Amino acid sequence: MIFEQIATGGCQSYLIGCGDTHAAALIDPEISQLDQYLALAARDGLHIRYLIDTHTHADHFSGTHALAKKLQVPVVMQRNSPTPFVDLRLGDGEMLMLGRMRIEALHTPGHTRDSMCLRVEDRVFTGDTLLIGGTGRTDLPSGDPFALHDSLFNHLLKLDPALRIFPAHDYKGRKSSTIADELSSNPRLQHADPSAFAELMNTLNLSMPTHITEALRVNMGGGKSVAQMLDEAAASVPFMSLETLRARVEQDDPGLIVLDVRERDAYEAGHIPGARLLPRGQLELRVNQELPDPTRRILACCEIGKVSTLATATLREMGFAGAVALDGGMKAWREAGYPLKTGSEP
Ligand SMILES: [Fe+2]
């Protein structure tokens, strides 16, 4: 087996490939690492055939949907997944062929109703069902401590104790464990009685994951995260540095239109000398009157550089081929002590 483990913070993704045929599957990919996964697959000579989420993630942004569009390969999830764009849904005991390897899906609800573990040769990818020294939480949507207890004690933990386990999360830099080690040392597994286990799970008092609503929207709806939209916009536009802009402003460069896309009160409190005001929310509707010449060089600026990147991408999409974004924003401009003008438009 060809095997890569990729950590993104505490999230673990896995690229597994058949050593004979080089067919591969990517398990629990995270959206910010797509280039990394593709580069590893290329380096290892692997052809990704399946994109698998072990469950509906509430704490990170799944990369399966974006990669499926790019690679034209199926997204695989458990049969109970609420996600509409899943191409292949696996029931308990069903397998995927990966070259000469077999990936067997075990339905292990509890962390979520659609949680599954994936058994491949000498190892099990346990998702958030079983972690090293812990288990997944059961207080997020569709979680159920009694179901998790049943999945663990009546299914997963009855497998060969020598099997290695690879979880979807580890926050302490550990790579893997074994079922035997977890049985003997995992504190959550010392509660063989279902009620005691549920009582423990229900009193953990965990804080909600950051971005939970956004993660569920992206992972279940197939939409884009805010970071993804910003990345895509940033990849489609050129940027100008604060220093270069300052030099242009001081030379009073007539070829450059500086477009401040913040709201009026922010603009009037302090803007780049000569900048015009066109708030982002009015951009599309006012662009024909405000910017009649689409060949002009237009630099968009905002407070921190994110909204201006989106505005520049929109301008370029509308045919302003000379639109440029500021690498930074008015906050950095002010902090650098660069010239400011207050009041209404020039
Ligand atoms: Fe999870």
Side-chain angles (χ1 to χ4, degrees), residues 51-53 64-65 68 73-77 85-89:
L51 300 159
I52 310 176
D53 272 323
T64 53
H65 192 43
V73 298
V75 172
V76 182
M77 287 188 80
F85 58 79
V86 174
D87 303 295
L88 208 52
R89 293 170 185 274

Side-chain angles (χ1 to χ4, degrees), residues 104-119:
E104 185 188 358
L106 312 166
H107 185 208
T108 51
H111 172 60
T112 61
R113 199 182 302 128
D114 66 350
S115 286
M116 61 179 178
C117 294
L118 301 165
R119 181 181 174 165

Side-chain angles (χ1 to χ4, degrees), residues 181-329:
D181 283 351
E182 292 310 307
L183 273 170
S184 65
S185 65
N186 187 324
R188 297 237 182 119
L189 303 184
Q190 309 315 313
H191 297 265
D193 170 56
S195 301
F197 180 80
E199 169 73 15
L200 170 76
M201 295 305 292
N202 288 336
T203 51
L204 290 175
N205 255 328
L206 301 167
S207 56
M208 277 291 125
T210 38
H211 309 303
I212 177 171
T213 52
E214 190 185 10
L216 290 174
R217 168 174 66 74
V218 169
N219 298 342
M220 291 161 66
K224 290 178 181 174
S225 67
V226 175
Q228 202 180 347
M229 294 193 69
L230 285 168
D231 280 352
E232 288 181 9
S236 70
V237 304
F239 287 86
M240 188 182 286
S241 72
L242 291 166
E243 296 74 22
T244 303
L245 177 61
R246 181 203 184 184
R248 299 282 164 94
V249 167
E250 282 180 352
Q251 290 159 10
D252 208 9
D253 180 354
L256 183 70
I257 296 174
V258 177
L259 199 64
D260 194 321
V261 298
R262 297 174 300 164
E263 295 302 316
R264 177 172 293 278
D265 52 353
Y267 174 90
E268 291 184 350
H271 55 263
I272 295 169
R276 298 190 201 172
L277 171 66
L278 180 47
R280 171 72 183 92
Q282 300 172 25
L283 185 65
E284 289 89 340
L285 298 182
R286 281 180 47 199
V287 83
N288 292 335
Q289 298 99 282
E290 302 289 332
L291 303 166
D293 181 357
T295 65
R296 291 289 297 272
R297 195 153 190 222
I298 302 161
L299 178 131
C301 66
C302 68
E303 185 59 18
I304 54 170
K306 291 183 173 176
V307 173
S308 57
T309 302
L310 294 170
T312 305
T314 302
L315 284 169
R316 293 183 81 89
E317 222 176 305
M318 295 178 88
F320 294 89
V324 184
L326 184 60
D327 182 14

Side-chain angles (χ1 to χ4, degrees), residues 34-76:
L34 302 191
D35 286 337
Q36 161 98 317
Y37 303 133
L38 295 175
L40 284 171
R43 187 189 72 184
D44 296 346
L46 294 175
H47 180 203
I48 297 174
R49 302 284 295 274
Y50 298 109
L51 300 159
I52 310 176
D53 272 323
T54 54
H55 62 287
T56 301
H57 299 285
D59 53 358
H60 72 262
F61 300 107
S62 167
T64 53
H65 192 43
L67 269 177
K69 278 202 251 176
K70 199 178 176 98
L71 301 177
Q72 296 289 307
V73 298
V75 172
V76 182

